[in-house]
Amino acid sequence: MNNSRILGVVLLVGGAILFVMGMNASDSVADRFSKFFTGHFTDATVWYMVGGGVSGIVGLSLLASGGRAAVN
């Protein structure tokens, strides 16, 4: 297993953890008040979800393309 595949797995797992943390944070009392009064989640919750999603996508793409030789 080469380095890009290992990094892909780490990013995919880390992204999943961050996304789940964001989903759990969206059920908190602070987020419920923020959603009720402003119609939006708190900034921290949004960053957890966005960061987890981006990290997961990058990790998945590294897993899909990792280990291939570059064609010139």
Side-chain angles (χ1 to χ4, degrees), residues 9-46:
V9 169
V10 169
L11 285 174
L12 186 62
V13 170
I17 290 170
L18 280 176
F19 191 78
V20 168
M21 285 175 60
M23 292 301 293
N24 287 337
S26 69
D27 289 333
S28 70
V29 175
D31 260 333
R32 287 184 186 173
F33 277 117
S34 176
K35 180 93 168 132
F36 179 74
F37 288 114
T38 66
H40 303 287
F41 291 119
T42 60
D43 289 341
T45 301
V46 172

